[in-house]
Amino acid sequence: MRFLLCRAAASPNLHLVRELVTSIRRAKPSDAAGLAVVHDAAWREAYRGLIPGVVLERMITKRGPRWWRIAAAARARPLVVLDMGERIGGYASYGQSRSLGLPQGGEIDELYLDPVFQGIGLGRRLFGAVRRDLATQGFKTFVVWSLADNERACRFYEGLGGKPVTRGETRFGGVPLDRIAFAFG
């Protein structure tokens, strides 16, 4: 965050104005703790009540700072962060589609924001940056999967122009959950 001092037009008093500076950039190993915090908060908010509790806890625990440090260093797939200056506000990972049966060449694997930053346009900004990067990699079309019962995510992707193209099933702790692929491009 930057702090700006400005003088009111008719007053000799100084006013402190806080300006939030955000950027989207490649993740670094030093972002690991912040990525773990965002992952924990976002997954609890998105999946509590959808994914069985014990399974969700294991998935969150697995993705601690050590896991994120390795992921950021490996650069196997692009991983970007929404840098809020003093903290990480969100992240996205993406690349070539892992869904062999679909014609879309690219895929956004994950796109999550800390719940405190949701609903103010930052998710759209992060999505747009990833979409542009996928296009520069030659992926003019791409897919994003969402759990069908995650209504907020489904509305988000539909609001961005995603078209449901197929459904599938995934299992968490033996519990089958329906998922939807949204196509873009």
Side-chain angles (χ1 to χ4, degrees):
M1 284 202 201
R2 284 194 321 219
F3 291 93
L4 301 174
L5 288 175
C6 63
R7 185 179 297 270
S11 169
N13 297 329
L14 291 178
H15 299 278
L16 186 62
V17 177
R18 239 174 118 162
E19 179 185 22
L20 181 62
V21 178
T22 63
S23 66
I24 296 168
R25 61 168 174 76
R26 296 283 183 190
K28 302 178 286 192
S30 60
D31 296 323
L35 282 160
V37 167
V38 170
H39 177 263
D40 184 304
W43 279 47
R44 285 181 197 285
E45 190 269 338
Y47 301 125
R48 184 176 284 135
L50 299 179
I51 296 175
V54 172
V55 176
L56 179 59
E57 288 301 319
R58 280 190 204 131
M59 293 172 74
I60 290 170
T61 301
K62 176 184 170 189
R63 296 261 196 113
R66 182 177 184 277
W67 190 95
W68 287 106
R69 196 171 5 273
I70 292 167
R75 297 186 181 260
R77 288 176 76 77
L79 175 62
V80 295
V81 296
L82 178 63
D83 186 336
M84 306 299 289
E86 295 177 356
R87 67 189 278 192
I88 301 299
Y91 71 91
S93 65
Y94 55 97
Q96 184 173 354
S97 178
R98 301 168 299 168
S99 302
L100 302 177
L102 296 177
Q104 292 78 21
E107 180 178 358
I108 297 178
D109 313 331
E110 296 185 51
L111 190 146
Y112 292 99
L113 290 183
D114 186 319
V116 301
F117 296 116
Q118 292 177 8
I120 58 173
L122 294 173
R124 286 180 175 274
R125 185 172 168 206
L126 182 57
F127 181 89
V130 168
R131 181 179 212 160
R132 287 187 295 279
D133 197 34
L134 279 166
T136 64
Q137 294 177 38
F139 302 120
K140 304 293 185 209
T141 63
F142 61 95
V143 67
V144 182
W145 287 90
S146 176
L147 290 181
D149 288 338
N150 186 345
E151 295 172 6
R152 185 176 193 167
C154 292
R155 281 193 314 271
F156 175 75
Y157 293 122
E158 287 173 342
L160 291 168
K163 304 292 183 219
V165 291
T166 192
R167 294 176 89 90
E169 183 181 277
T170 189
R171 291 185 172 274
F172 292 97
V175 176
L177 296 173
D178 192 30
R179 63 186 189 140
I180 302 172
F182 292 93
F184 293 87

